[in-house]
Amino acid sequence: MGTVKVLIYWPFTRMRGIVYFILSAITLPVYMLNLATVLSLIGISSYYSIIIGLLITVISLLASAVHLVIYEVNSMVYIPTFTSITFFGMTFRIPTISTQSRRTMISLNAGGALIPVAVSIALAYLLCINYSRLIAPIVISVTLTALMVNRVSRVVPAIGIVTPAIVPPILAAFISYMAVAFMANPYIFVTPVVAYVTGVLGTLIGADLLNLRKVINIAPVIADIGGAGTFDGIFFTGVLAVFYASLVSTL
């Protein structure tokens, strides 16, 4: 595919949209404060951390309606049908299978995937530049989290990729803490930052990318990575991982 297509549609409509806005209003302060915590730990002043954290959260919420189609693939769908045959006055239904070509669009949700991934890559870069000993813990944390999240995720037809909501952030927080504690203990204070990076990238790789072939095999019209916006597993896991990592670090 030569160009990136942009689709604009809200992930939730009618009553689900109202619930989405109510939940957003409740969780916005939590998202903002956790992101501000992450930013302050890499040296940004508290004032600017709160402002940047608020902007990232609000923009992510608004960008949930933006979907970037980055790839399109054709797949064959097998459709069961029946052929009726009348023989000696009796009608028999013979099962047959027909095939149909269907185009699946692979898209990236701006608010639920693109923005948190961009923030994670920027944070990982800053961590590696300022604390080179954190390179190995970050790589190991993301890898282990991705593998374990992939084990607990499932592809459900007509729904998409399903993962227990509480598992990825806990895994990201625990694995990040252990990796930093054993391999770069002097920098244990930035564990929440590593947890955010681990939660976002580990969930993206483990739940979405490693299951992408399975999603394509069920031939949906669109496979949307991060399609639930700020309540998608990618965004949600990164923010919650900060909270759990902060909690673990204080114990």
Side-chain angles (χ1 to χ4, degrees):
M1 188 179 67
T3 59
V4 176
K5 297 180 181 178
V6 179
L7 304 178
I8 306 295
Y9 65 89
W10 195 248
F12 301 108
T13 58
R14 296 181 181 177
M15 184 56 66
R16 292 180 66 187
I18 296 173
V19 173
Y20 183 86
F21 272 112
I22 294 174
L23 290 175
S24 298
I26 295 173
T27 56
L28 267 175
V30 179
Y31 287 173
M32 180 196 70
L33 290 174
N34 281 345
L35 287 173
T37 299
V38 167
L39 295 170
S40 64
L41 287 173
I42 60 173
I44 299 176
S45 68
S46 299
Y47 176 76
Y48 288 111
S49 295
I50 292 175
I51 292 178
I52 296 173
L54 177 61
L55 286 175
I56 291 174
T57 305
V58 172
I59 292 173
S60 297
L61 176 63
L62 297 177
S64 296
V66 180
H67 310 259
L68 306 176
V69 179
I70 56 177
Y71 188 69
E72 295 184 26
V73 60
N74 287 321
S75 56
M76 297 302 297
V77 181
Y78 295 93
I79 304 174
T81 58
F82 292 91
T83 301
S84 297
I85 299 177
T86 302
F87 187 71
F88 288 114
M90 295 182 293
T91 301
F92 300 90
R93 298 183 69 197
I94 309 300
T96 60
I97 296 178
S98 62
T99 59
Q100 178 181 337
S101 178
R102 180 177 296 177
R103 180 176 291 273
T104 296
M105 295 184 291
I106 311 298
S107 69
L108 194 66
N109 183 272
L114 185 60
I115 292 176
V117 168
V119 172
S120 296
I121 292 174
L123 290 174
Y125 174 78
L126 291 173
L127 285 175
C128 294
I129 290 297
N130 295 318
Y131 315 107
S132 58
R133 286 180 59 183
L134 288 174
I135 295 176
I138 291 173
V139 173
I140 291 173
S141 297
V142 171
T143 302
L144 290 178
T145 300
L147 293 174
M148 297 180 75
V149 168
N150 180 254
R151 295 289 295 176
V152 300
S153 61
R154 296 290 181 271
V155 177
V156 180
I159 295 178
I161 300 170
V162 176
T163 306
I166 202 68
V167 174
I170 291 179
L171 284 174
F174 179 74
I175 293 174
S176 298
Y177 178 81
M178 297 301 293
V180 175
F182 279 101
M183 304 181 70
N185 192 262
Y187 308 120
I188 196 73
F189 65 94
V190 294
T191 297
V193 188
V194 179
Y196 180 87
V197 173
T198 299
V200 171
L201 299 184
T203 303
L204 171 72
I205 296 170
D208 292 273
L209 298 185
L210 293 181
N211 283 316
L212 193 57
R213 176 52 56 184
K214 295 180 182 178
V215 174
I216 293 175
N217 286 340
I218 62 177
V221 175
I222 182 168
D224 199 13
I225 299 173
T230 53
F231 286 97
D232 188 82
I234 297 173
F235 187 96
F236 193 68
T237 298
V239 173
L240 272 185
V242 175
F243 171 76
Y244 291 130
S246 301
L247 185 64
V248 171
S249 299
T250 58
L251 295 179

